[in-house]
Amino acid sequence: MSSTSTPARGRRRSEQTRLAILTAAYELTTEVGYPDLTIEGIAARAGAGKQTVYRWWPTKADVLLEALALKADLKVSTADQGSFEAELDAFLQDSAALLAFPGVAPVLRSLMAEAQRDTDFRRRFRDGFLSKRRAALETIVERAAARGDKPDRLSGAFAADVVFGLIWYRILATERLLDQDDIVGIEQLLTGRPGKE
Amino acid sequence: MSSTSTPARGRRRSEQTRLAILTAAYELTTEVGYPDLTIEGIAARAGAGKQTVYRWWPTKADVLLEALALKADLKVSTADQGSFEAELDAFLQDSAALLAFPGVAPVLRSLMAEAQRDTDFRRRFRDGFLSKRRAALETIVERAAARGDKPDRLSGAFAADVVFGLIWYRILATERLLDQDDIVGIEQLLTGRPGKE
């Protein structure tokens, strides 16, 4: 779509359309489920053209992974709170709340299944979603290292393996989400301290 | 297939056929990959009738899940070794070796993806494979509790979430398998002790 508006306004409008498409994709999946989600349906709900969606994303799974990456960025805090334990707790509480949000766990389940079927999407899912979530947790561990309250022997990469391993295993294998006992358990495990019991 | 042999011999033969089918299913997947695996191919390789396979298993995924559950039972030690740390180490070393075995990780990836698509299979996969692996690790934690060297606050269920969470996350998300650093890391995490560094 060519535009006669100024570049600045064009960028604004294009960013508004992008966000409308991401929101439409997420809302529509929670209503109809991943198998019945279509690019046509997403475009219609966003008031955009089908070609506009395809210009930015190759598949419906790619729209959803970006929608969820954006949601996670907005909902899961990595802000400096003065201590590793406080930041880990905020990260886990926010992550558990996001997972409990209607539709989030089923969409994640569908995307991970898609990533096993389609190796190209697996790479895009890893780079566009999984790695970003790991990086978010790793910033907390790195800040703790700089502050000086990082537990001995804990690396950001291993912390991410443990935390996201447990979260994904729950989503895919047990269908149980994270509860407060899990959060306390992870905190005890990673900090080596009793945690809030 | 009716049999004129004695019940005992009939049972023996039927058990031999069952094992031949499980072996054929596993070997064939490692050769052709899950998408191209067929019940016909499994039956042919096992020298059994297609109906014999269908009599015991509803889908190719069910044959494979039983083949892998059997492999894991045979390869991953839960024997009493006198200490929780020794038994956890043996369990993790055996599990890492099994995962590194040709074809095992790709088959597990295919089965977990299938479990996301098909909710009936998800239940059978959980009951026939995932729960059995959890129970194997839980016996080690229970033995430690009886012996008196179980780490404080560690439950068998949480240990299983952490260990299998990390294993499955690696298989599905990162494609990296468990190495010695991971095993040491898990041992440090679960025992709260330095572990073998």
Side-chain angles (χ1 to χ4, degrees), chain B residues 33 56 62 84 102 133 164 175 189 195:
Chain B
W56 285 317
D62 291 275
F84 175 63
R133 300 318 306 146
F164 296 112
E175 287 173 75
L189 218 54

Side-chain angles (χ1 to χ4, degrees), chain A residues 108-180:
Chain A
L108 288 171
R109 188 178 292 132
S110 303
L111 291 179
M112 187 59 96
E114 191 68 47
Q116 307 314 310
R117 275 194 292 278
D118 175 342
T119 53
D120 290 340
F121 178 71
R122 192 185 307 166
R123 186 181 39 70
R124 298 197 300 273
F125 185 49
R126 192 179 315 149
D127 299 344
F129 185 84
L130 300 174
S131 299
K132 289 181 179 178
R133 299 320 303 147
R134 294 179 66 87
L137 182 56
E138 285 165 7
T139 55
I140 291 176
V141 177
E142 284 154 17
R143 191 183 296 126
R147 186 193 294 117
D149 68 347
K150 183 183 78 63
D152 297 345
R153 300 189 308 259
L154 185 68
S155 74
F158 191 68
D161 282 346
V162 170
V163 168
F164 295 112
L166 195 138
I167 287 174
W168 275 106
Y169 179 72
R170 285 296 185 79
I171 293 172
L172 298 170
T174 74
E175 288 173 75
R176 267 187 57 214
L177 299 182
L178 291 194
D179 59 24
Q180 288 305 310

Side-chain angles (χ1 to χ4, degrees), chain A residues 109 112-113 116-117 122 126 130 134 153-154 158 160-162 164-166 168-176 181-182 185-186 188-190 192-194 197, chain B residues 109 112-113 116-117 122 126 130 134 153-154 158 160-162 164-166 168-176 181-182 185-186 188-190 192-194 197:
Chain A
R109 188 178 292 132
M112 187 59 96
Q116 307 314 310
R117 275 194 292 278
R122 192 185 307 166
R126 192 179 315 149
L130 300 174
R134 294 179 66 87
R153 300 189 308 259
L154 185 68
F158 191 68
D161 282 346
V162 170
F164 295 112
L166 195 138
W168 275 106
Y169 179 72
R170 285 296 185 79
I171 293 172
L172 298 170
T174 74
E175 288 173 75
R176 267 187 57 214
D181 289 349
D182 299 320
I186 294 172
Q188 290 174 345
L189 219 53
L190 296 186
R193 289 161 222 142
E197 277 182 305
Chain B
R109 187 178 292 133
M112 187 60 95
Q116 306 315 309
R117 276 195 291 280
R122 191 185 309 166
R126 193 180 314 148
L130 300 173
R134 294 179 67 86
R153 299 188 309 259
L154 186 69
F158 191 68
D161 282 345
V162 170
F164 296 112
L166 195 138
W168 276 105
Y169 179 72
R170 286 296 186 79
I171 292 172
L172 299 170
T174 74
E175 287 173 75
R176 268 186 56 214
D181 289 349
D182 299 319
I186 294 172
Q188 290 174 345
L189 218 54
L190 296 187
R193 288 160 223 146
E197 276 181 305

Side-chain angles (χ1 to χ4, degrees), chain B residues 26-193:
Chain B
Y26 171 75
E27 289 175 353
L28 200 54
T29 326
T30 63
E31 289 168 21
V32 304
Y34 181 79
D36 293 334
L37 182 73
T38 62
I39 293 282
E40 290 79 355
I42 294 168
R45 191 186 186 105
K50 188 174 148 183
Q51 289 320 310
T52 310
V53 180
Y54 277 122
R55 198 171 69 230
W56 285 317
W57 299 280
T59 71
K60 67 180 186 180
D62 291 275
V63 189
L64 274 179
L65 95 77
E66 187 168 339
L68 282 170
L70 181 65
K71 227 177 193 5
D73 280 343
L74 296 172
K75 302 277 186 187
V76 180
S77 166
T78 57
D80 188 338
Q81 309 205 20
S83 80
F84 175 63
E85 282 177 42
E87 291 173 22
L88 178 63
D89 187 58
F91 187 93
L92 294 173
Q93 298 289 354
D94 291 349
S95 299
L98 180 58
L99 284 169
F101 214 70
V104 169
V107 172
L108 288 172
R109 187 178 292 133
S110 303
L111 292 179
M112 187 60 95
E114 191 68 47
Q116 306 315 309
R117 276 195 291 280
D118 175 342
T119 53
D120 290 340
F121 178 71
R122 191 185 309 166
R123 186 181 39 69
R124 299 197 299 273
F125 185 49
R126 193 180 314 148
D127 299 345
F129 185 83
L130 300 173
S131 299
K132 289 182 177 176
R133 300 318 306 146
R134 294 179 67 86
L137 181 57
E138 286 165 6
T139 55
I140 291 175
V141 177
E142 285 154 17
R143 191 182 296 128
R147 185 194 292 120
D149 67 347
K150 182 183 79 61
D152 297 344
R153 299 188 309 259
L154 186 69
S155 75
F158 191 68
D161 282 345
V162 170
V163 168
F164 296 112
L166 195 138
I167 287 174
W168 276 105
Y169 179 72
R170 286 296 186 79
I171 292 172
L172 299 170
T174 74
E175 287 173 75
R176 268 186 56 214
L177 300 182
L178 291 193
D179 59 26
Q180 288 305 309
D181 289 349
D182 299 319
I183 292 176
V184 169
I186 294 172
E187 290 171 356
Q188 290 174 345
L189 218 54
L190 296 187
T191 64
R193 288 160 223 146

